[in-house]
Amino acid sequence: MPYDPNEPLKDRITDIGPRYYQDFLPPVVKNNRGKWLYHEIIEPGVLVHVSETGDEVYTIRCGGARLLSIEFLREICDIADKHCDGFMRFTTRNNIEFMVDKKEKVKPLLDDLKSRKFAAGSNKFPVGGTGAGVTNIVHTQGWVHCHTPAIDASGVVKAVMDGLFEDFGKMRLPAQVRVSLACCLNMCGAVHCSDIAILGIHRKPPMVDHEWIDRVCELPLAIAACPTAAIKPAKTAEGLKTLDINYDRCMFCGNCFTMCAAMPLADDVGSGIAILVGGKISNRKSAPKFSKVVIPFIPNEPPRWETTVKAVKNIVDVYAKGAKKYERIGEWAERIGWERFFEKTGIPFSHHLIDDYRFAYTTWRTSTQFKF
Amino acid sequence: MAKHKTPMLDELEKGPWPSFVSDIKHQAEKGKQAVKDAPDDLLGILELSYADRVTHWKHGGIVGVFGYGGGVIGRYCDQPEMFPGVAHFHTIRVNQPASKFYSTEFLRGLCNLWEKYGSGLTNMHGSTGDIILLGTTTDNLEPLFYDLTHELNQDLGGSGSNLRTPSCCVGKSRCEWACYDSEECCHEMTMEFQDELHRPAFPYKFKFKFDACPNGCVASIARADMSVIGTWKDDIRIDQGAVAAYVGGELKPNGGAHAGKDWGKFDIVKEVISQCPTECMWMDGKKLMINNKECNRCMHCINVMPRALRIGTDTGASVLFGAKAPILEGAQMSTLTVPFMPMEPPYEELKELIGKVWDWWMEEGKNRERLGELIQRESWQKFLEVIEMEPDPRMMREPRSNPYIFWREEEVEGGWTRDITEFRKKHQR
């Protein structure tokens, strides 16, 4: 029976959760689950996993835009039906993976993937994103779909990945470089532990929509939302209840706007990009690390974000030249010292980069071990 | 013909990386989506943002399906007359299958569903892990949910102050380093806590993420309130023949991950032994030796020589709590809480632990206070009391350096009640 708008709760099914993942595994994966012995990267973007049963699965990893149309998803299905027994997967970093169970199936699949282009010429399925290189950028919604962003997301990612494209398909770096983008401090993309993070920030305090604020917001919630206690109750000349902002205390986190729509803070010149580097997730060698702010602000430059692309490429190139094998960006910066990081990358150091928030002191140098 | 001129977005059709603009244009031209003008108008409003350099989306409204408090995020644009196709453009979160394998049968079903009820645009996937159906109108929500559950046997994900859709790495399905079944555990925990996922009753969001080894491919340590990370207690398994093959150059280090540059001949001392953070490895002639008791399971040696070294066989997981992004008190990573927990279905020990954590957080947590912030506010000692665990030096990077200890009265002989008159008998004013 189809949905009946007159009886919306009839035959209702709820709380059934997601589909069981094992229903979606390709046969070679299902048969060898938990039996894998080792893997190798045969060429950039192509992996083989070998099982104790002797079976092999070949994975071809392709970059994806994350924002995908259903027409494009159907094309993915066509490819998976043609080459991969009707199965495929996505990675945590929005890559598209096609798997085959025989080596001789790899080349026809690769040829097929490499032949597919969008009408204007960009690759539909660029192969790469493995090993000591740059893989896909995880990112957020930006101007495509979000109300709090300081920057766009999809467009910045497209421009930066065009700039890093060679390193997506090559494995010439000392270690993997994970680039992430979050379009505001809420960080639904959680970029705070990435090798390179592109972060949308605001630089102007919120505007208060005095005429409306008391009608659309719970004023005490907006006041309580401010971590620096910069917001206090006030009255307009006409006697309307409103809020007053102590501009000197505002650190532009946007938490008040999250609580109250009548306090917008995005601005065409006020908002833009900060670059953070040196974070990592993995426990490999050194413990997971936070990313650190090294460029406090780059203006929004749609459509191609030239300064941001250049800044990211510069960091990757200087790191590629200077780091030792297996060294992540953060490990390299710590070994040479952050003063050297700024010297080698040519990035100017300014007061914006010194922490003055909750855990500030933990980042100050309390030794004489510095370099000239 | 495109409905709107998009000269700035057209610049994003250039270059080798897949162009989302080209993809949306293709959908606008060829697609049969229910909200016909959505792709065109999305490009139109995005072009306007590119010109204005600010977003044109309003604060979300409350929309959803009956009986659920999450899974749908209301979204409206601030120029509905110019862009009617995206005037109402609500997001639907669909709970992805653990580790994101798909059959084309299911994916095609999803495409058909979204063609019938929405914009034809998706995110595969959102940051938390869900399949995101990007943009539809309120009247489509109930019929879509009906078909989603009846035809695709598939439920929505989480949003708002509830359990967010859990996610995991690829795990045992295609990785030799899985120390526990992260996919099975993710699925089981998702099913167990359906009520918490669909009906917001928490102070704020709560995330579970499941990494099957310390490499952490799903980044649980940085972004999950509860991070479950696979580990092992016994010895790294060594194949000395394969060690020799790495030393001899027959096998490529790190699975061939460094093939794009000539790094010279593989040097096991330089690349493995001297990189070991605990210095617990050495060569005895041609044999690689490991003092496993001193190993902290960082995975470096295993990553470099995957054919020679394997994780142990006494496997389970470490459980950590409290990670979050900077809003509001600053970014936090998860803190090691349970060094080792055996991880077998139905994961009763883990479920019991999370129950204790939630009871406390729901009682004590302030509005929009993440678990990690509550622990900071109340103390790690209080958290241990709540979860009924004994303190363990493994939980701390180092002991405290200040001596401001909150002694408890029962710990101090005689308690805190003293007699000042007795004191004065011996000590003049």
Side-chain angles (χ1 to χ4, degrees), chain B residues 283-358:
Chain B
M283 293 302 285
D284 182 3
K286 290 191 167 167
K287 265 178 92 176
L288 176 68
M289 309 297 287
I290 303 175
N291 179 2
N292 280 280
K293 191 170 188 311
E294 296 307 312
C295 169
N296 67 6
R297 302 166 315 288
C298 84
M299 295 293 294
H300 175 68
C301 58
I302 297 176
N303 288 335
V304 175
M305 304 195 295
R307 291 180 72 165
L309 302 177
R310 298 174 69 191
I311 59 167
T313 54
D314 186 3
T315 56
S318 303
V319 185
L320 302 84
F321 285 96
K324 53 180 282 296
I327 297 287
L328 201 57
E329 293 295 317
Q332 288 180 227
M333 280 191 252
S334 280
T335 302
L336 180 67
T337 309
V338 183
F340 186 86
M341 186 185 279
M343 294 295 283
E344 296 300 330
Y347 311 101
E348 286 304 334
E349 199 179 338
L350 189 62
K351 290 174 188 170
E352 207 178 295
L353 175 62
I354 195 63
K356 290 178 198 168
V357 171
W358 281 347

Side-chain angles (χ1 to χ4, degrees), chain A residues 8 14 17 31 60 71 97 123 217 223 302 315-316 323 329:
Chain A
T14 66
N31 295 337
I60 299 185
E71 288 297 309
E97 289 188 340
N123 293 288
C217 301
I223 293 167
I315 293 165
V316 171
I329 289 184

